[in-house]
Structures are given as C-alpha cells and as structure tokens.
Amino acid sequence: MRPLTLEAIDRDEVLTEAISELCGSTRAAFLRTTALGGAAMLAALTTPAEAAAEIGDVAILNFGLRFERLQATFYTQADELGTIATMAKAKRSWARTLGAHERAHVKIIKQVLGSKAEGRPSFDFGEANETDAAFTKTAVALEDLTVALLAGVTPQVHDKGLVSALFSLLTVESRHAAWARHIVGTTPAPKAFDEPKTLRQVQGAIARTRFVVRRPRTSGTRSPGFTG
Amino acid sequence: MPRPAAPGLRRGAAAAGLTAAAAAVALLAAGLGLDSPPPARPATASALPAPVAPAFTPRPPRLLGSARHRSLWAPVKRAAAVRAAPDAAAPLAGMLEPMTPEGTRTVVAVAERDRDGSGRPWVKVRLAVLPNGTTGWVPRAALGGYGTVRTRLVVDLDAFSATLLRDGRRLLRVPVGVGTAATPTPTGEFYVRNRLTRYRSPTYGPIAFGTSARSPQATDWPAGGFVGIHGTDRPDLVPGRVSHGCIRLRNADILALARRMPVGTPVTIR
C-alpha cells in the first residue's frame, strides 16, 4: 500500500501550507523534511497492539481517543490563547462549537475505554492555533483527516454497537469538515467519493505534523537542593 | 414502450390504495366499537431491520468556561536569550536554559504574547532569577507546547497557611512553616517549576516542589537558593518561622497538596 502523504490527505494543501509557513520553509522543503522524519515518528507512535496483524476494538478506540484529544486540545488551546476571541461572530461560533464537540467525544470514548484508556499525550501546535489564519487552515485539514480516519477504521470494528456509535461520530465529523470548508470558502464536498484511510495511514499523516510530542519531564528523583 | 419503472410504481400505488382502504375500514370499525383484530402492518415495514443501538452517546457539548482562573505555562525546548522587549535587537535580560539544576525540563509561566516588526511571535515569561519578579521575552520557537492549569497556591506568611484554589474555589488549606526573620520567604508572584519524589532526604519529606522564587539571602546556596514547598522530618515546628526561606508542610499535607497541584501552578506569596 502506498504510504499516505500529507498531500494526499490535505486536498487543498491547507495544512501543508500552514505547517510549511510555521516551519519557515518552502512547501517543497517541508515535504522533503517530513518524508525523511516520518518513518521514525510513525514508529514512535505505533503501539504494540497496532503493530499486530489484526487490530482490536480497544486499539482502534484508543487511537480514536488520541486523535480526538489532539483535536480537542487544538480547539481548547486556541480558545484559551484568545485566538478564537479575535474572530468574527459566525466563525467564533464555529470554532467554539467544534471545540465543545471534540471535548464531548474525548469524554465519552475515555469513559467507554475505562481502565483501558491510554494516557493523555502531549501536544505542541507551535503557531498553528495562535493566529486566525493558521488556526483555520489547520482546522480544515484536521476535520478532513478525522473523516478519512473514521471512514477507514469503523468497518474494522467488531462490536456492532461500537460501529453504530462510530458512524454517528463520522457523520458529525463530516459536518464539521463541510462547515470548516464553508468557513474558508472552499468546496464543502470536493469529491463524489471519499477514499477511506487506514489507521496506519492516518498515524503517518499525524506524525508528520509533529503535533504529538514527548511529554516534558517536569518530575525528578534528585535530592532537592532548595533552601530548606 | 412502457418504461421499466412504471409497472412497479403502479403496483406501489395500488398497494398504497389498498392499505389506505384497509386503514379506513379499521378506523370505522374502531369508531363503531366493533371487536375486531388490528390490521396487519405492511410487509415492507416489518422486513426492515431495527437500527443497531450505539454503544455510546456523547453528552451534550459544553462551551469552555471563563478563562479567568486559567494560567499558561510552557516547557523550554532549547537555550534562548531573554530580551527586554519582543525584538531580537532588544537588550539582553538573561538566558533561559532547557534543564533545571534538579535535572528536570525548565518550565516558564507565560505572562503575555506579542509579535516583532517582522511578524515573528514572542512570549513574555516569568524568570526564576534574582531579583524575584523578573520577566523577559523569548522567541516562541524556544518553547514547547503550552500547558494550562486551573489551580493557584496562595501562601500567607502572617497566617502561616497555604491555600490551594481551583477555578477560584478553595480546595485545601494547610498550616505551613516559613522563613525566619533572618532568612525570610520572599513575597511576590511565582510558579511551580518541578516536582521531586523518591529522593533520600528526610529533611524534605516525601515530596518537594521547586518554585521560581529565590532567596536573596541564600545566594551562596549550592543549588542557587531556590525556594521549595516540601514536607519535613520536624512536623512539631509547623506552623512557625523556622526555615531558610522554604515553605514547609507536614508530610500528610504535602501529599494531599501533591495530589491536586500540577507543575505550572501559579504561587502567590504574601
């Protein structure tokens, strides 16, 4: 299977442009860099369960949780940083609604997974959610990516009840994607058929954004040297 | 030549007519009080499978509440020059190192954000240097992803108390030991910059938090005179003015605080 590139997912190249701008490089240079670094980051993101031949429902849900957390953090942080507050009313409502939906998704998936839920990853969005323009471009690409992920993995889920629930998420995420595209004035439905993506393909695309980072080590075991 | 769909449509129309007639008869019979069995449902409806019940349904979405009690912090990704203004040509205000003397990642409290003349983003951060309260600007690229906390610790030196708030509401209030008259605990706005556990030093109790506050009287202290918030092996001295500047808690209290206070929490000492 041909590895998924950002170009393939990012149909209007909005994310590619956004990230390349953030990296201070040309689009071509950005793609060269990500192609070189992608494999290692993908390996770092792949859990043993996902590397197995058959991916179980728990592994799929956990990846869904990781991805929903990424989205929820992206929107929440943009709100906390004041990026959303600077937008026009209709756009502000769009951004805040999407944030609220993604937080609700995180909450319920975490609840369904219970003790099998993976820990919260750390994210570094750089400037992607610090300006209106960068935020909007990235949001469009993220929503498109979510639709591709859910369309790809939902048929792999064994539990019928979970399939039903994931389809409900898929339709909502499709509306998010169309809404986001409407906001930026681009075609809400650019193709007659959406090609589903595999979990591994989406993992690769996410890894190439470098939004998921190693958690900063803020705890230690050295003896304190404080004033006492 | 008849179109292929037409016969089907006609059959459908005839079936609909029959169903409507049967329904009308049934209604009339019911109206007259006749005791008759209910009409059979159309075969097409009973053949449709029931929808699969979803395994979960998200709760109604909630917008983010007020940001009044939220504070931002960020880890330092790489060493960076700190400037007096958001400009690479502004006077140097200090250096930011990525690691602390305790071997943890340096974190800074974010006070403000701005852009320079060429549109490059800068972040105003609180620095863990003397004089206490020093701030400066670093390029956004020197910092990692932002973290958010909803907690705040308020230490009252006269009341010998530490109060932990979340979203402005009191979570915990515990007695503390503070600096003596010769080595007073500095006052001002600080933040929690790391958390140390499992060390072998009973003097500091089971957990110690490093803060950005520094003691002006302990500049020759080996690790730089940072003020900590920690446990103790002398609980009998708490509350009181007993330390070299650190904030001492009884061990049960520091454990209770550690369960609720994340790194990045702002600390007000007054």
Side-chain angles (χ1 to χ4, degrees):
Chain A
M1 186 184 291
R2 203 165 61 88
L4 182 71
T5 63
L6 262 182
E7 279 175 306
I9 255 309
D10 190 14
R11 280 189 290 252
D12 296 336
E13 300 184 3
V14 282
L15 184 54
T16 308
E17 281 175 18
I19 305 287
S20 59
E21 277 171 21
L22 301 181
C23 292
S25 61
T26 63
R27 186 179 152 277
F30 170 69
L31 290 173
R32 272 201 304 278
T33 315
T34 53
L36 288 170
M41 282 185 280
L42 175 59
L45 273 173
T46 307
T47 66
E50 287 152 4
E54 191 176 333
I55 299 169
D57 289 1
V58 170
I60 290 174
L61 269 191
N62 259 318
F63 185 74
L65 176 62
R66 212 177 316 160
F67 195 63
E68 293 284 3
R69 274 174 162 154
L70 183 146
Q71 286 186 291
T73 309
F74 176 79
Y75 290 112
T76 304
Q77 211 174 69
D79 213 351
E80 288 169 342
L81 290 170
T83 308
I84 294 177
T86 63
M87 296 174 179
K89 196 179 173 189
K91 194 170 182 184
R92 201 164 60 225
S93 163
W94 159 71
R96 287 191 169 142
T97 304
L98 262 60
H101 284 186
E102 305 303 358
R103 286 192 294 275
H105 293 172
V106 168
K107 211 168 183 176
I108 189 66
I109 298 177
K110 200 175 150 198
Q111 198 178 315
V112 169
L113 280 165
S115 61
K116 289 177 182 166
E118 285 177 1
R120 190 181 177 282
S122 283
F123 303 107
D124 181 0
F125 297 105
E127 291 181 64
N129 57 3
E130 293 191 30
T131 64
D132 184 341
F135 169 87
T136 310
K137 286 177 177 179
T138 311
V140 171
L142 279 180
E143 294 303 334
D144 273 357
L145 196 58
T146 315
V147 174
L149 166 72
L150 285 172
V153 301
T154 304
Q156 312 279 341
V157 173
H158 298 92
D159 184 287
K160 274 193 171 183
L162 279 181
V163 171
S164 175
L166 289 176
F167 270 128
S168 301
L169 290 191
L170 171 57
T171 53
V172 170
E173 296 290 359
S174 304
R175 288 164 212 226
H176 286 178
W179 195 359
R181 290 174 152 270
H182 172 73
I183 287 283
V184 295
T186 188
T187 318
K191 286 166 78 180
F193 179 76
D194 276 337
E195 189 192 340
K197 307 297 176 196
T198 66
L199 189 143
R200 185 170 280 269
Q201 284 176 307
V202 177
Q203 272 179 327
I206 290 296
R208 282 185 276 275
T209 65
R210 305 181 188 185
F211 287 161
V212 183
V213 294
R214 195 186 296 260
R215 181 177 295 280
R217 196 169 150 264
T218 55
S219 293
T221 54
R222 276 194 204 167
S223 197
F226 308 140
T227 53
Chain B
M1 185 183 280
R3 283 179 299 180
L9 282 175
R10 275 199 296 272
R11 275 200 301 275
L18 284 174
T19 309
V25 169
L27 277 172
L28 186 62
L32 293 172
L34 297 178
D35 194 14
S36 62
R41 295 175 66 199
T44 48
S46 61
L48 289 174
V52 176
F56 59 82
T57 312
R59 288 198 177 160
R62 288 175 59 189
L63 295 176
L64 211 59
S66 159
R68 206 173 118 222
H69 300 293
R70 291 171 199 263
S71 308
L72 284 177
W73 61 274
V76 176
K77 276 205 295 201
R78 57 174 171 79
V82 183
R83 302 283 170 183
D87 185 341
L92 196 65
M95 281 301 291
L96 207 51
E97 294 298 330
M99 302 303 287
T100 67
E102 296 82 33
T104 59
R105 176 68 54 180
T106 301
V107 302
V108 287
V110 174
E112 207 179 319
R113 297 176 305 123
D114 203 351
R115 287 179 185 269
D116 61 20
S118 57
R120 215 160 65 111
W122 289 75
V123 181
K124 188 179 187 182
V125 298
R126 291 187 187 284
L127 299 174
V129 299
L130 286 170
N132 284 312
T134 302
T135 57
W137 292 86
V138 290
R140 170 69 183 95
L143 306 178
Y146 291 122
T148 311
V149 293
R150 295 153 56 198
T151 44
R152 171 177 293 276
L153 187 73
V154 179
V155 179
D156 188 325
L157 299 179
D158 293 329
F160 301 112
S161 71
T163 306
L164 184 69
L165 309 167
R166 184 190 289 150
D167 291 330
R169 285 192 292 271
R170 192 168 92 178
L171 279 186
L172 191 72
R173 187 169 190 263
V174 293
V176 296
V178 298
T180 62
T183 55
T185 302
T187 57
E189 295 297 326
F190 309 101
Y191 62 92
V192 175
R193 55 185 188 85
N194 60 13
R195 169 190 164 119
L196 305 175
T197 55
R198 297 198 297 275
Y199 45 77
R200 290 181 187 175
S201 181
T203 313
Y204 293 97
I207 292 181
F209 288 98
T211 75
S212 59
R214 292 177 86 153
S215 168
Q217 288 76 31
T219 48
D220 56 347
W221 206 268
F226 283 100
V227 171
I229 301 168
H230 55 77
T232 180
D233 58 353
R234 292 295 308 275
D236 53 305
L237 298 180
V238 176
R241 296 190 194 280
V242 292
S243 76
H244 294 96
C246 275
I247 296 152
R248 292 188 201 172
L249 277 67
R250 293 178 186 134
N251 289 347
D253 291 337
I254 190 73
L255 289 170
L257 186 71
R259 282 195 292 275
R260 298 164 175 90
M261 187 172 75
V263 166
T265 297
V267 178
T268 302
I269 304 177
R270 62 188 185 206

